[in-house]
């Protein structure tokens, strides 16, 4: 023990003793030591805080208990229920949740990589025991009620879609598809449990978007559901924020580091160009599609996913919103300045300062926000003979302004030029 104390004394105090013998200890060295220790302390504290919430952030077991409880009571049903709750054939793997209320896991079902999504807002209660079985049937699965006819249920769905997507002539066809999906066992009737499940699913923003964009190649395909839990195609490649980082660590990284990691660990530049073309095509799909116009209200590299062949796939539709929903939220909302008129993270509308109300039209179109994203995604590593022209076109694109609903002609022209420039660079190579 005495030798150990002496060794510690020599290691820790000798440098200071030497400094004292020389009459001073360099101030710069002290500053560096303090900064390092401060960084370690703050970093450790932040990691501890985020890890302490991990059990709340990743509660797939709670989600499964809730869903299966409702299934066994006959309250809900769906194409995945038997495999999930009786045969245990749905394998939950990595937690990808970024918020406690929306559980996201990678998984395996029928030998396919899938993404499992389930909302448990009503189930989470900070005062309840962590493993308590929540009861949501009175809140989430309350509609339709017993005695509702199929005609009345059809009208319920149609009214809901009109509010959220707008009064479009294509909605009756979408209602038919929803009712067809509800009858998962193909017995030509929709039971109360099937109706409750589909109605609960429609309350999930991403599920509504999946239905609206199901014919588009850049949105994930819906594979099955049980109650309001649903399965989609597996997480696309490129969603490194879910695959590489633990959920507790994601908020710790600044956006600059996110972009740097995407460039370091992302695909080669020609593949990035192909992915970018797919993203531009997705922007076209959102503009005046079969079920109206949609706005991207959180444009980040985290949502830039791609398949094994480097075709773009939208990794997360949570922050894509129908025009009707955005307008309903913003129009007439009290405001003092434009920063008061924001839906999601970056869907911004002008503020009428005279009336002190938000207007319904957005200032910045989808394409301008996507081009801001592509500047960080495409310019680093771009071929020297392309970089100047590409940078010029992306700058032009990011300056697109005016109301999002009034830039269709210019929007289409700029988008077409960008796609042509990128295709010309990779069209005669193996990357096309």
């Amino acid at each position: 023990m005495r030798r150990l104390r002496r060794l510690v004394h020599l290691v820790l105090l000798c440098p200071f003793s030497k400094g004292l013998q020389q009459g001073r200890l360099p101030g710069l060295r002290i500053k560096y030591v303090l900064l390092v220790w401060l960084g370690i302390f703050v970093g450790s504290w932040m990691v501890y805080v985020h890890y302490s919430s991990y059990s709340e952030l990743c509660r797939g077991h709670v989600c499964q208990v809730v869903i299966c409880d409702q299934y066994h009571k006959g309250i809900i049903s769906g194409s995945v229920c038997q495999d999930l709750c009786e045969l245990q054939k749905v394998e939950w793997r990595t937690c990808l949740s970024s918020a406690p209320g929306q559980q996201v896991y990678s998984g395996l079902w029928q030998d396919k990589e899938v993404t499992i999504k389930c909302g448990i807002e009503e189930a989470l209660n900070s005062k309840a025991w962590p493993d308590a079985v929540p009861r949501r049937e009175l809140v989430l699965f309350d509609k339709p009620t017993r005695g509702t006819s199929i005609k009345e249920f059809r009208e319920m769905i149609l009214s809901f879609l009109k509010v959220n997507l707008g009064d479009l002539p294509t909605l009756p066809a979408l209602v038919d598809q929803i009712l067809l999906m509800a009858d998962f066992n193909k017995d030509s009737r929709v039971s109360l449990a099937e109706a409750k499940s589909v109605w609960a699913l429609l309350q999930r923003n991403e599920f509504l978007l999946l239905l609206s964009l199901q014919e588009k190649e850049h949105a994930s395909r819906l594979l099955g559901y049980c109650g309001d839990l649903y399965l989609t195609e597996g997480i696309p490649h490129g969603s490194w924020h879910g695959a590489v980082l633990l959920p507790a660590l994601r908020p710790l990284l600044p956006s600059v580091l996110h972009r740097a990691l995407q460039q370091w660990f992302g695909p080669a530049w020609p593949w990035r160009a192909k992915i970018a073309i797919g993203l531009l095509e997705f922007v076209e799909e959102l503009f005046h599609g079969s079920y109206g116009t949609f706005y991207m209200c959180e444009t980040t590299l985290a949502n830039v996913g791609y398949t094994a062949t480097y075709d773009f796939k939208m990794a997360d539709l949570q922050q894509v919103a129908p025009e009707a929903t955005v307008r309903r939220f913003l129009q007439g909302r009290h405001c003092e300045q434009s920063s008061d008129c924001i839906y999601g993270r970056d869907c911004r509308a002008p503020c009428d300062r005279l009336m002190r109300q938000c207007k319904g039209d957005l200032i910045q179109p989808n394409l301008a926000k996507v081009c801001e994203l592509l500047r960080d995604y495409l310019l680093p590593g771009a071929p020297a003979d392309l970089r100047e022209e590409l940078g010029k076109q992306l700058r032009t694109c990011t300056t697109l302004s005016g109301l999002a609903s009034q830039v269709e002609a210019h929007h289409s022209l700029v988008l077409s030029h960008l796609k042509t420039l990128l295709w010309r660079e990779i069209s005669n190579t193996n990357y096309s």
Side-chain angles (χ1 to χ4, degrees), residues 165-185:
L165 298 178
D167 192 357
L168 304 169
T170 53
L171 291 187
L174 183 58
V175 173
D176 290 338
Q177 291 180 33
I178 292 171
L179 291 175
L180 192 63
M181 182 190 69
D183 181 22
F184 75 94
N185 56 8

Side-chain angles (χ1 to χ4, degrees), residues 26-205:
L28 189 60
R29 184 180 298 174
I30 294 177
K31 290 181 181 178
Y32 279 141
V33 170
L34 288 175
L35 284 174
V36 168
W37 277 107
L38 182 62
I40 292 172
F41 173 76
V42 172
S44 301
W45 179 79
M46 292 177 72
V47 170
Y48 168 77
V49 168
H50 284 281
Y51 265 110
S52 65
S53 64
Y54 184 86
S55 59
E56 182 179 357
L57 193 62
C58 297
R59 302 189 69 183
H61 65 290
V62 173
C63 198
Q64 184 170 2
V65 166
V66 170
I67 289 294
C68 292
D69 178 56
Q70 308 309 303
Y71 169 66
H72 290 308
K73 290 177 179 177
I75 295 171
I76 62 173
S77 64
S79 56
V80 181
C81 289
Q82 188 176 25
D83 284 350
L84 177 71
C85 302
E86 294 179 2
L87 304 178
Q88 306 297 319
K89 288 186 176 180
V90 177
E91 181 181 338
W92 299 65
R93 290 184 171 177
T94 307
C95 173
L96 305 171
S97 309
S98 58
Q102 180 65 26
Q103 294 295 296
V104 183
Y105 279 75
S106 65
L108 191 69
W109 180 59
Q110 295 183 348
D111 298 322
K112 289 181 290 202
E113 296 284 342
V114 297
T115 302
I116 307 167
K117 299 189 177 183
C118 176
I120 56 173
E121 291 90 343
E122 293 85 359
L124 291 172
N125 184 347
S126 59
K127 296 180 181 179
W129 291 102
D131 294 322
V133 178
R135 299 179 60 84
R136 304 190 296 167
E137 65 270 24
L138 297 179
V139 179
L140 183 62
F141 304 115
D142 60 340
K143 293 180 181 179
T145 55
R146 188 174 298 278
T148 302
S149 68
I150 189 65
K151 182 179 179 181
E152 291 170 331
F153 186 47
R154 179 186 290 273
E155 287 301 318
M156 277 178 63
I157 296 174
L158 184 60
S159 299
F160 175 83
L161 295 178
K162 283 181 180 179
V163 170
N164 288 277
L165 298 178
D167 192 357
L168 304 169
T170 53
L171 291 187
L174 183 58
V175 173
D176 290 338
Q177 291 180 33
I178 292 171
L179 291 175
L180 192 63
M181 182 190 69
D183 181 22
F184 75 94
N185 56 8
K186 310 303 179 189
D187 62 354
S188 301
R189 56 183 288 272
V190 177
S191 67
L192 183 61
E194 289 171 337
K196 283 179 179 288
S197 299
V198 167
W199 184 256
L201 282 168
L202 287 173
Q203 313 311 308
R204 302 292 174 199
N205 177 64

Side-chain angles (χ1 to χ4, degrees), residues 370-386:
V370 164
C371 285
E372 286 182 7
L373 193 70
L374 291 181
R375 288 174 67 177
D376 294 322
Y377 192 67
L378 286 179
L379 288 180
D385 59 340
L386 178 73

